[in-house]
Amino acid sequence: MPVDSSRVEKHIIIGGGVGPMAGVALHGKIIEATRAPAGDASHIAVIHLSDSAAIPDRTGYLDALARGAANLVNPGHAMAAVVGRAARALPANTAAVAGIPCNTFHAEPIYSAFQDEVEKTGPALTVINMLTATVDLLKERIGSGTGQRVGVFATNGTRSSRIYDSLLAAHGYRIVQVPEALQPLVHDAIYNPEWGIKAVSPVTGKAAAAVREMALHLVRDRVEAIIPACTELPLALPGTEFEAIPLVDPVLALARALVRDAAPDKLMPLPA
Amino acid sequence: MPVDSSRVEKHIIIGGGVGPMAGVALHGKIIEATRAPAGDASHIAVIHLSDSAAIPDRTGYLDALARGAANLVNPGHAMAAVVGRAARALPANTAAVAGIPCNTFHAEPIYSAFQDEVEKTGPALTVINMLTATVDLLKERIGSGTGQRVGVFATNGTRSSRIYDSLLAAHGYRIVQVPEALQPLVHDAIYNPEWGIKAVSPVTGKAAAAVREMALHLVRDRVEAIIPACTELPLALPGTEFEAIPLVDPVLALARALVRDAAPDKLMPLPA
């Protein structure tokens, strides 16, 4: 699609549904991160396509891939199709920048397939990697990596894919996780069909308590920042700090990176 | 577009951006109103197109119309174009139901223009009227109309268009509003460029205090329910009751009506 450079502000595409409430959180954080002196009219256009049923579960895919299962649908390909559908809603001559608010989605076998597909559509559609944006926000909050301990908690899929391990190590941080024995509780807080964050909105007391218990483990383990590395977790752990330790929310990081890319002059300063 | 009846579940289109955070609130309430025993995969697909800059301010339009101004762009026509763009993101053979989370948008000169335009696209795209949905929810909360006093607070545009007056009267309720002298404070809580809900997210203390003061006025005026009839107001007045008086949030009413229309089996019961 030829892009008219006179329309400099890009639209933002949210590849949502993974999970659906994480897309809503990202959408809200984009609005909050935008300067809007003229009210509604100042806001950046957002196309948010949330089609959960079209995207296979990311953790399930990675598990099946590790078991050597055949004929799997890669969630990266499925999401590229969703983003392609969303792009059909763009006005003529308008570029867009897309983000996917799901950590597990950024595991290499999924994200690289997604990025390859999206890049085929041409230069008018670009993608922000949420993990890269998270490291940028981590640097803003606690400085460049010089061996700081950074707590990460995540789904089984994100943890076993080790995406944060290599990312943080590459930037000079040391990853700290909850003990293996407690990992099922983190997973349950997200996925439990009776009380997990994905199944019940708003967040149940049981899920919130489990998430806080995990965060306390990391605090006692002397971390200097915490990355709640599943997009559902900040719903149970809101705000920018927990027990005086900075929370570096990947969804907030992605929201800010999308605004910066679409309309840099509109990016609000980080809340104090 | 021919619709394959084997795919019974419609997609939901949010004609957003009016204001942008109201679209996010609607989107979240759709998810909360959906039974999701299978987690992500149970959720209804949502296409949420938020393009605030494309839609003229609704109150400004009604004011200009009342002054007899010429060559105005009707926000109803602008929104029909936005919903038309959103519908381009539908998969083949899929029907959709659309909702617009803005009370002032439902004033007759705007909404009728919108509905006429959308109906031209054919039977695969239908629209839920948020005001009709609100009366349905009001009936669920306080029973059919037998002269009950119902408090309504709204923007100048919604108030002067008298849309709620005739709607409530037609269903046997009696409308109660804040005194005329206080109406500028309601308007300011929404529109003030320094501290209004549309300009600053999350809601400022000053805006929240103004909204609560207005709600207390209605309570003292012996209302049996309150309709916060601007979609920004529930952001400052969350929950289902205020001082033990039921809050009938038009955005929640719209969310529930959209879920009921798209996938009736998935509608959650009203929270107690």
Side-chain angles (χ1 to χ4, degrees):
Chain A
M1 167 177 28
V3 175
D4 173 2
S5 61
S6 68
R7 172 135 191 187
V8 290
E9 184 170 308
K10 292 182 185 178
H11 286 210
I12 292 172
I13 291 175
I14 298 175
V18 290
M21 205 50 106
V24 170
L26 173 61
H27 200 153
K29 285 168 190 181
I30 288 168
I31 295 167
E32 289 177 5
T34 305
R35 277 185 221 274
D40 288 1
S42 298
H43 282 280
I44 301 165
V46 175
I47 305 168
H48 179 172
L49 181 41
S50 180
D51 193 351
S52 300
I55 317 285
D57 185 76
R58 285 65 63 202
T59 296
Y61 171 78
L62 294 173
D63 287 350
L65 196 67
R67 287 196 312 271
N71 300 319
L72 299 171
V73 176
N74 188 321
H77 288 137
M79 183 58 89
V82 164
V83 169
R85 281 204 277 126
R88 300 203 304 241
L90 285 167
N93 301 321
T94 306
V97 56
I100 314 297
C102 173
N103 286 275
T104 313
F105 186 86
H106 288 72
E108 200 279 330
I110 298 173
Y111 194 78
S112 62
F114 168 69
Q115 198 168 23
D116 288 352
E117 283 295 312
V118 171
E119 277 173 2
K120 282 181 199 161
T121 66
L125 180 58
T126 51
V127 176
I128 299 279
N129 182 314
M130 182 168 70
L131 300 194
T132 310
T134 302
V135 169
D136 291 343
L137 182 57
L138 184 62
K139 283 181 188 164
E140 277 193 73
R141 296 294 302 273
I142 66 166
S144 293
T146 56
Q148 299 97 317
R149 296 169 65 82
V150 174
V152 174
F153 57 142
T155 60
N156 296 347
T158 301
R159 182 165 180 160
S160 61
S161 72
R162 301 181 60 80
I163 43 179
Y164 273 95
D165 303 60
S166 44
L167 178 77
L168 291 178
H171 289 86
Y173 301 101
R174 207 174 136 194
I175 191 169
V176 177
Q177 294 180 91
V178 299
E180 277 282 359
L182 292 176
Q183 180 64 26
L185 186 55
V186 175
H187 203 73
D188 235 20
I190 299 162
Y191 282 98
N192 189 288
E194 304 287 317
W195 54 272
I197 304 174
K198 280 186 187 291
V200 191
S201 294
V203 175
T204 62
K206 190 166 178 177
V211 169
R212 291 179 62 86
E213 188 186 328
M214 296 304 104
L216 272 176
H217 255 280
L218 295 171
V219 171
R220 289 192 208 105
D221 210 354
R222 307 179 322 282
V223 298
E224 294 183 42
I226 294 175
I227 300 177
C230 169
T231 54
E232 324 286 329
L233 290 170
L235 304 173
L237 206 67
T240 57
E241 291 194 338
F242 175 77
E243 302 273 319
I245 301 296
L247 290 171
V248 177
D249 171 10
V251 176
L252 176 63
L254 178 58
R256 294 181 60 81
L258 288 166
V259 171
R260 190 183 283 119
D261 190 83
D265 295 347
K266 292 187 178 174
L267 183 65
M268 294 273 273
L270 262 186
Chain B
M1 168 176 30
V3 175
D4 174 2
S5 62
S6 68
R7 171 135 192 189
V8 290
E9 186 170 307
K10 292 182 185 178
H11 286 209
I12 291 172
I13 291 176
I14 298 175
V18 290
M21 206 50 107
V24 170
L26 173 61
H27 200 152
K29 286 168 189 180
I30 288 167
I31 296 167
E32 289 178 5
T34 306
R35 277 186 221 274
D40 289 0
S42 299
H43 282 280
I44 301 165
V46 175
I47 305 169
H48 178 173
L49 181 41
S50 180
D51 193 351
S52 300
I55 317 284
D57 184 74
R58 284 67 61 203
T59 295
Y61 171 78
L62 294 173
D63 288 349
L65 197 66
R67 287 196 311 271
N71 299 319
L72 299 172
V73 176
N74 187 322
H77 288 137
M79 183 58 90
V82 164
V83 168
R85 282 205 276 124
R88 300 203 303 239
L90 285 167
N93 300 321
T94 306
V97 56
I100 314 299
C102 173
N103 286 275
T104 313
F105 186 85
H106 288 72
E108 200 280 330
I110 298 173
Y111 195 78
S112 63
F114 169 69
Q115 198 169 22
D116 288 351
E117 282 295 311
V118 170
E119 277 173 3
K120 283 182 200 160
T121 66
L125 179 58
T126 51
V127 176
I128 299 279
N129 182 313
M130 184 168 69
L131 300 194
T132 310
T134 302
V135 170
D136 290 344
L137 183 56
L138 184 63
K139 283 180 189 166
E140 278 193 74
R141 296 293 302 276
I142 66 166
S144 293
T146 55
Q148 299 97 319
R149 297 170 66 82
V150 174
V152 174
F153 57 142
T155 60
N156 297 347
T158 300
R159 182 165 180 158
S160 61
S161 73
R162 303 181 61 80
I163 42 178
Y164 274 95
D165 303 59
S166 45
L167 179 77
L168 291 178
H171 289 85
Y173 302 101
R174 206 174 137 195
I175 192 169
V176 177
Q177 294 180 90
V178 299
E180 278 281 0
L182 292 176
Q183 181 62 26
L185 186 56
V186 175
H187 203 73
D188 235 21
I190 300 161
Y191 282 97
N192 188 286
E194 304 287 316
W195 55 272
I197 304 174
K198 280 187 187 291
V200 191
S201 294
V203 175
T204 62
K206 190 166 177 177
V211 169
R212 291 179 62 85
E213 188 186 329
M214 296 304 104
L216 271 176
H217 256 280
L218 295 171
V219 171
R220 288 192 210 108
D221 211 353
R222 306 177 326 278
V223 298
E224 294 183 41
I226 294 175
I227 301 176
C230 169
T231 54
E232 324 287 328
L233 290 170
L235 304 171
L237 205 68
T240 58
E241 291 194 340
F242 175 77
E243 302 275 318
I245 301 296
L247 291 170
V248 177
D249 171 10
V251 177
L252 176 63
L254 179 58
R256 294 181 60 80
L258 289 166
V259 171
R260 189 183 284 121
D261 189 83
D265 295 347
K266 292 186 177 175
L267 182 65
M268 294 273 272
L270 262 185

